Amino acid sequence: MLYIEPIVTLSSVQAQCHQASLYNDITNSKVADFTVSFPAVYGNIPTGFAQAEKSIRLSCTQGNDTFIVHHKVPAAPTITWSSDVIASDWADNSCVRRDCPTYPGYFSDLQYSAQILVNNNADDGTCSTINHVGQTPDLLPDYLHSTPIQSNHFSPSGKAIYDANGEYLVTRIVCKNAGGTRVGVEVWDFNQRNTQREVFFHTL
């Protein structure tokens, strides 16, 4: 859902806007109609258009004059994310008590490193990170999640902790702007014989 509040003012007198549509700026074609409840305009960006160059066109009036206002909508953020893990010091689970953990063993040392590039395509976009299972070093070091960021490159590294029972390390990066939200989810799967990584991206 896209929600913006364009306030149109001419000669210090607020105009009235009654119709809004989303346009593809490259093809100059209409993508969707939006709802106007002035001064708010809201609607859904159709699937496949989150990364396109687009704008909202508002049909407005002031007195006897009619005009079109173009409101640029940024492309949704992009995230590029590669990482590596060095797992070492395997420890067998030698516990024999009834209340022992069920995992067969675990890597007692996990060193995580990554290269992450975020581009919010707007100077007021923000990003945040979440550790779902286990814990990585801060994925966006020295960045305050409430501070706007347009684009930056991050190189986090350090010790990580994973769930030895489930054998997973799962983290997420979320970047958002007025044009949409980009989510990246990284899943590391550990066992004594093999280590696998998958990363999934989707746009809201």
Side-chain angles (χ1 to χ4, degrees), residues 77-81 116-120 127 173-175 182-184 201:
T78 59
I79 304 170
T80 303
W81 187 359
I116 301 169
L117 174 64
V118 299
N119 184 353
N120 280 325
C127 295
I173 299 175
V174 180
C175 294
R182 185 68 167 170
V183 180
F201 294 100

Side-chain angles (χ1 to χ4, degrees), residues 48-69:
F49 287 94
Q51 300 301 139
E53 295 184 29
K54 52 194 175 294
S55 61
I56 294 175
R57 300 184 187 181
L58 291 154
S59 298
C60 304
T61 59
Q62 183 184 29
N64 294 325
D65 296 326
T66 62
F67 51 92
I68 303 294
V69 174

Side-chain angles (χ1 to χ4, degrees), residues 21 61 83 102 113 130 135 144 158 162 191 198:
S21 298
T61 59
S83 69
T102 58
S113 61
I130 301 171
Q135 185 172 351
L144 300 177
Y162 77 106
N191 61 60
E198 290 185 287

Side-chain angles (χ1 to χ4, degrees), residues 10-168:
L10 291 178
S11 304
S12 300
V13 177
Q14 183 170 290
Q16 297 297 314
C17 299
H18 50 84
Q19 184 178 4
S21 298
L22 183 69
Y23 274 76
N24 184 323
D25 287 343
I26 301 300
T27 62
N28 197 37
S29 57
K30 184 168 72 170
V31 174
D33 288 318
F34 280 3
T35 300
V36 180
S37 179
F38 201 78
V41 175
Y42 56 93
N44 290 312
I45 298 176
T47 302
F49 287 94
Q51 300 301 139
E53 295 184 29
K54 52 194 175 294
S55 61
I56 294 175
R57 300 184 187 181
L58 291 154
S59 298
C60 304
T61 59
Q62 183 184 29
N64 294 325
D65 296 326
T66 62
F67 51 92
I68 303 294
V69 174
H70 293 247
H71 187 96
K72 186 73 175 177
V73 179
T78 59
I79 304 170
T80 303
W81 187 359
S82 62
S83 69
D84 187 34
V85 167
I86 299 175
S88 59
D89 295 338
W90 178 263
D92 288 315
N93 179 15
S94 58
C95 183
V96 295
R97 294 174 305 166
R98 179 175 296 178
D99 60 347
C100 285
T102 58
Y103 54 80
Y106 62 96
F107 291 105
S108 58
D109 186 38
L110 212 65
Q111 296 297 320
Y112 179 95
S113 61
Q115 299 295 322
I116 301 169
L117 174 64
V118 299
N119 184 353
N120 280 325
N121 295 306
D123 58 10
D124 59 350
T126 59
C127 295
S128 61
T129 61
I130 301 171
N131 284 297
H132 287 289
V133 181
Q135 185 172 351
T136 62
D138 185 5
L139 294 178
L140 307 179
D142 301 322
Y143 166 66
L144 300 177
H145 293 173
S146 60
T147 303
I149 179 176
Q150 182 159 356
S151 66
N152 208 340
H153 177 263
F154 301 92
S155 301
S157 63
K159 186 176 179 61
I161 301 171
Y162 77 106
D163 176 5
N165 192 32
E167 301 183 332
Y168 287 108

Side-chain angles (χ1 to χ4, degrees), residues 177-190:
N177 65 21
T181 300
R182 185 68 167 170
V183 180
V185 180
E186 180 185 66
V187 180
W188 279 97
D189 184 0
F190 300 96

